[in-house]
Amino acid sequence: MQLFLDTASIKEIRTMWEIGILDGVTTNPTLVAKEGRKFEEVLREICALGVPSVSAEVVATETEGMLAEGRHLREIHPSIYVKCPMTPAGLRATRILAKEGTRVNVTLVFSANQALLAAKVGATYVSPFIGRLDDQGQVGMDLIRDIVTIYRNYRFPTKVLVASVRHPVHVLEAAKIGADIATMPYSVMEKLVEHPLTDIGLQRFLKDWEKVPKG
Ligand code: E4P
């Protein structure tokens, strides 16, 4: 399973990249706005670190505009994946961009039928937003289970990128279902690494080591 960071913060990306547990990055207009920096500048810096998959979202709402933005974004770096929204215009743009060889991440997916359509038009990734479903009383993980089943039934090559992840249990459940990727905030990835018993155990080992005769 691949682990992505859902952020536009270079500091956060660099930290996880240097540890060696990061497979990719997803951004969206909200995350980019938080950084207060130019979009392309941020994208170039992320790609320069060597991150092999960096999703960058179009903001046009019509197909022509999405195509123009998508074609521009993909030229920035070979690691760029173009993010198109799950709308009729977004599906049209995805189909055309995919035919041109551009890898497209279809975002804002909230139903299994939407995921089916994204796969049919040639999306490389589909991004179901599970946290936002949980927020309104629907079990987001059920959607992941359905999409994974449908893609397996028809051998769609589209990868399931679990998005809107809020806590480590989301990652655990997604991994058990067999989702391809989970993208998460830095705080969640940190929690995957840490465990209080690891810290307590290490402190005890170091303390006991002081009692071992040296020299
Ligand atoms: C995915 O690519 C989105 O950027 C993201 O996961 C949205 O998450 P949120 O619901 O926490 O905003």
Side-chain angles (χ1 to χ4, degrees):
M1 187 191 201
Q2 293 195 307
L3 302 179
F4 286 13
L5 267 183
D6 198 26
T7 184
S9 158
I10 300 293
K11 190 169 169 263
E12 292 179 353
I13 296 165
R14 183 176 287 121
T15 304
M16 291 304 174
W17 181 247
E18 285 175 357
I19 294 175
I21 56 173
L22 189 64
D23 300 299
V25 168
T26 49
T27 65
N28 65 36
T30 307
L31 295 169
V32 174
K34 266 193 210 161
E35 297 306 304
R37 299 182 55 201
K38 287 188 183 152
F39 185 31
E40 284 193 32
E41 193 179 284
V42 173
L43 286 178
R44 284 180 206 283
E45 272 184 51
I46 301 171
C47 293
L49 290 174
V51 180
S53 172
V54 180
S55 287
E57 191 157 342
V58 300
V59 288
T61 53
E62 297 306 323
T63 304
E64 284 312 313
M66 290 179 190
L67 290 175
E69 282 181 44
R71 288 171 183 145
H72 177 72
L73 287 168
R74 76 180 175 205
E75 292 309 318
I76 292 176
H77 196 278
S79 299
I80 299 281
Y81 286 58
V82 175
K83 244 173 151 181
C84 289
M86 177 59 226
T87 59
L91 288 178
R92 270 198 298 273
T94 300
R95 190 173 56 82
I96 296 166
L97 289 169
K99 276 196 178 150
E100 292 172 359
T102 302
R103 292 158 309 182
V104 182
N105 175 353
V106 173
T107 188
L108 289 166
V109 167
F110 292 94
S111 80
N113 281 334
Q114 288 182 322
L116 173 62
L117 301 183
K120 282 177 72 70
V121 296
T124 300
Y125 297 154
V126 67
S127 290
F129 280 32
I130 59 167
R132 293 192 195 183
L133 283 172
D134 286 355
D135 289 346
Q136 55 160 35
Q138 206 176 324
V139 181
M141 205 51 73
D142 288 348
L143 174 59
I144 303 305
R145 213 167 276 114
D146 286 347
I147 298 173
V148 168
T149 303
I150 292 167
Y151 284 8
R152 279 189 191 144
N153 285 348
Y154 297 99
R155 296 191 172 83
F156 282 121
T158 306
K159 290 192 184 318
V160 181
L161 195 169
V162 181
S164 188
V165 161
R166 299 278 157 79
H167 47 72
V169 178
H170 274 155
V171 182
L172 179 64
E173 290 298 321
K176 289 200 286 192
I177 292 167
D180 302 284
I181 307 161
T183 189
M184 65 205 80
Y186 182 83
S187 58
V188 174
M189 198 173 276
E190 246 185 340
K191 287 182 189 136
L192 299 188
V193 179
E194 293 165 1
H195 197 288
L197 289 180
T198 304
D199 298 337
I200 292 168
L202 182 61
Q203 285 315 312
R204 192 178 298 160
F205 285 154
L206 292 176
K207 211 162 166 261
D208 289 343
W209 186 248
E210 284 169 15
K211 298 175 201 152
V212 176
K214 314 281 174 352

